[in-house]
Amino acid sequence: MENFVITIARQYGSGGRTIGQMLAKKLGVSFYDKQIIHMASDESGIDVKLFGQVEGGMSVKPSLFSKTGLYKGDLIPPSEKEFISDENLFNYQAKVVHDLAEKESYVIVGRCVNYVLKDRPNTLRVFIHAPWDFRMEQSRGKISGTDDEIARFLQKDDKRKQDYYRRFAGGVWSDATNYDLCLNSGKLGFEKCVEAIEAQMKIIGIH
């Protein structure tokens, strides 16, 4: 049986990461998040801090040979000047994601994986969103600061994810057409989101 992959993109404060962890546990498969950048660092030999820098919205070294950083799947060899470029850092993460899919089924959050695996069979691409008030309430337990400071953080994080997706995937991160299933966690609750994803897996024949 072919391995399956469930990709989860999520707004901060929507509980998408928690939903992903709950789903992975229920399905008995691995859950991946920031482990991917450590695995990409191990494989490439590039400092893990550089991967985190690009993910955080800071450029390490923009690619010189391409007008866009859109993911195309080709790795740049160490002999090239662009080896440590933003594009190549993304490409190594994508390679790790592809390689993992050959070995096991898993749930993964972030990293434009819905785009990286858009043509892969047995893949379900999910977007978790929630109303602003719900996101604020969820974030208060994770972020210290006033409500104004938390609101600015959420706005900045949304923009960071939009910019990252636009750069490497060439689209709009929050556009529903980039996903197979979009869920409002504020309305459904986390457990119902997990159930909805499982139901969708059965509908499209992923198991």
Side-chain angles (χ1 to χ4, degrees):
M1 182 177 67
E2 185 179 12
N3 296 327
F4 65 79
V5 179
I6 310 299
T7 77
I8 296 180
R10 81 286 187 208
Q11 294 177 321
Y12 192 97
S14 68
R17 190 176 192 277
T18 299
I19 291 167
Q21 291 174 318
M22 291 168 61
L23 177 67
K25 184 176 181 179
K26 199 167 182 181
L27 296 174
V29 299
S30 299
F31 172 81
Y32 291 106
D33 185 4
K34 293 189 180 296
Q35 303 97 317
I36 297 299
I37 65 174
H38 290 277
M39 295 165 77
S41 174
D42 289 343
E43 177 150 341
S44 65
I46 298 172
D47 191 337
V48 70
K49 292 179 182 177
L50 298 183
F51 285 91
Q53 192 170 316
V54 174
E55 191 173 90
M58 297 177 286
S59 182
V60 173
K61 181 180 179 183
S63 178
L64 302 176
F65 69 91
S66 175
K67 292 182 179 179
T68 72
L70 294 185
Y71 169 70
K72 302 196 175 53
D74 297 325
L75 293 173
I76 303 168
S79 58
E80 299 292 329
K81 288 190 296 184
E82 294 82 15
F83 176 64
I84 303 179
S85 64
D86 297 352
E87 182 179 41
N88 210 35
L89 295 175
F90 184 87
N91 289 348
Y92 265 104
Q93 291 184 71
K95 181 180 185 301
V96 167
V97 167
H98 275 290
D99 290 347
L100 282 172
E102 294 299 313
K103 301 173 184 176
E104 62 174 315
S105 295
Y106 61 88
V107 177
I108 184 170
V109 298
R111 273 145 215 99
C112 304
V113 182
N114 66 299
Y115 178 79
V116 171
L117 299 182
K118 62 185 174 64
D119 297 321
R120 184 187 181 279
N122 239 31
T123 299
L124 178 63
R125 306 175 304 160
V126 181
F127 185 79
I128 306 291
H129 60 97
W132 183 259
D133 289 347
F134 181 87
R135 294 176 62 195
M136 285 289 295
E137 183 63 34
Q138 291 290 312
S139 299
R140 287 188 187 105
K142 301 176 181 178
I143 305 171
S144 59
T146 65
D147 278 2
D148 284 344
E149 290 170 331
I150 293 173
R152 284 196 293 272
F153 174 86
L154 293 182
Q155 291 166 347
K156 185 177 180 181
D157 193 68
D158 284 348
K159 183 180 185 302
R160 177 185 66 81
K161 288 173 179 173
Q162 292 281 14
D163 291 345
Y164 187 85
Y165 195 90
R166 185 180 298 110
R167 177 168 188 191
F168 295 109
V172 179
W173 165 71
S174 56
D175 184 349
T177 62
N178 292 318
Y179 306 93
D180 305 308
L181 181 66
C182 296
L183 299 172
N184 182 339
S185 60
K187 180 174 286 188
L188 292 174
F190 296 172
E191 188 61 48
K192 291 292 185 184
C193 283
V194 171
E195 292 175 7
I197 295 170
E198 288 185 295
Q200 186 69 13
M201 290 173 68
K202 292 178 182 176
I203 289 171
I204 64 178
I206 292 180
H207 48 73

